[in-house]
Each structure stands twice: as C-alpha cells, then as structure tokens.
Amino acid sequence: VTGKDEYYLGLRTPLCMMEQDVWLVPCLDGEPRLRKPPLVYWLTRASLEAWGPSLAGSRLVAVLFGALLVLGVTLVAEELSGDAGLGLRAGLVALSCLGLAIGGRLLELDVPVAAFSTLALLALLRWYRRDQTGYLLLGAVLLAAGFLTKGPVVLVVWGAGGAALL
C-alpha cells in the first residue's frame, strides 16, 4: 500500500530517527540522511510520536499538506477574482485532481512543496494588494519552510506563479 520512494525513504527515515532517538539530523539505516532537507521528516516524526508508529500516523502529515494545498488554491483564486464562489470552485477542482488524490496521501515531498509555494504566492498577492508587511514576512517564512522541505526547487515552483502574476 506504499509507493517505492515513500517506503524506502519517507516512511523509514522518521522511524529510524525514533529508533536512534535523534531529532535534528534525519537518518536512514543508521546513517545520516542529508540528501533531502529535513522538515517533512521532523513533522512526520512528531506525528509518529503523537499517534504511534503507524502508516496512518505517517500519512497524516501528507494528508494535511494536501488539505493546505487545496486551501491555498481556493484562497489564491478568491484573491485574484474577488469571488468566494469562484475560489470554492477552484478548490474543488484542485481537490478532484487525480495527482493530488494519489500524491496527497503519500509521504513524499512534492505536495508539501506545492502547498508552501501556493501559500507563499497568496502571501505575496495579499502583500501587493493590501500593502501590509506582515504578509511579506509570512511569505518569506513559507518559502523558508518550502526550502526546508525540498531545497531550491520551491523557488522555481513559487517563481512560476510570481512570473505569471507579472
């Protein structure tokens, strides 16, 4: 019931962290796992500590990121159109996408990066329209979280949305 990458990396890394009682540096099979940034592994370990070592406890993090992505799409569409109904329909379209239905339950890094990028784009939009510095700071924090999830890829994903706005 798991994907290859999810099983070999996503699920085993936080379990190894629990086994070796480490929080800061993710590990896999007793070796430090430094090829990917650690945020999702930290969140998954926290979920496993709270709910116990299970597939459901691991995937809770992925499902929450999928929900954040749908929420972000809804709010961006509403911000751009000024129509809450259109925002809701955009969110429902995102929710109905097969890629999100599959990827939103797997403990991989793509959906969290998309969620952080979308929410950072929303923060940029709100800063531009409302001229409140707090939104700019929120966008920077969300981009930093995306960077801690998959590295500089988040800038490419977020930058595509920013370029489209220009």
Side-chain angles (χ1 to χ4, degrees):
V1 297
T2 64
K4 183 179 177 184
D5 287 344
E6 181 190 34
Y7 173 74
Y8 284 116
L9 304 174
L11 297 174
R12 290 179 49 232
T13 300
L15 289 170
C16 179
M17 291 169 66
M18 288 177 69
E19 181 181 296
Q20 294 191 355
D21 196 30
V22 295
W23 275 97
L24 191 57
V25 178
C27 63
L28 183 62
D29 298 329
E31 298 292 323
R33 169 132 176 84
L34 303 174
R35 287 181 24 203
K36 296 288 182 184
L39 183 61
V40 170
Y41 301 129
W42 291 339
L43 294 174
T44 305
R45 172 155 184 207
S47 176
L48 291 173
E49 293 283 350
W51 304 105
S54 67
L55 187 58
S58 296
R59 285 193 171 165
L60 177 64
V61 173
V63 170
L64 290 176
F65 275 117
L68 272 176
L69 177 57
V70 170
L71 177 66
V73 167
T74 301
L75 294 174
V76 166
E78 182 180 346
E79 185 71 29
L80 288 172
S81 69
D83 181 6
L86 182 68
L88 179 62
R89 290 190 298 276
L92 289 172
V93 167
L95 185 62
S96 70
C97 290
L98 185 58
L100 186 59
I102 294 169
R105 68 175 181 80
L106 296 177
L107 187 62
E108 294 178 349
L109 305 177
D110 297 334
V111 172
V113 164
F116 284 132
S117 299
T118 303
L119 292 172
L121 182 65
L122 176 65
L124 177 69
L125 272 170
R126 290 199 171 162
W127 167 75
Y128 179 74
R129 292 190 170 186
R130 295 180 175 100
D131 197 26
Q132 295 175 347
T133 348
Y135 286 116
L136 197 57
L137 181 61
L138 177 62
V141 168
L142 289 164
L143 284 176
F147 195 85
L148 281 172
T149 301
K150 201 168 179 176
V153 170
V154 73
L155 297 176
V156 174
V157 176
W158 174 80
L165 286 176
L166 292 176

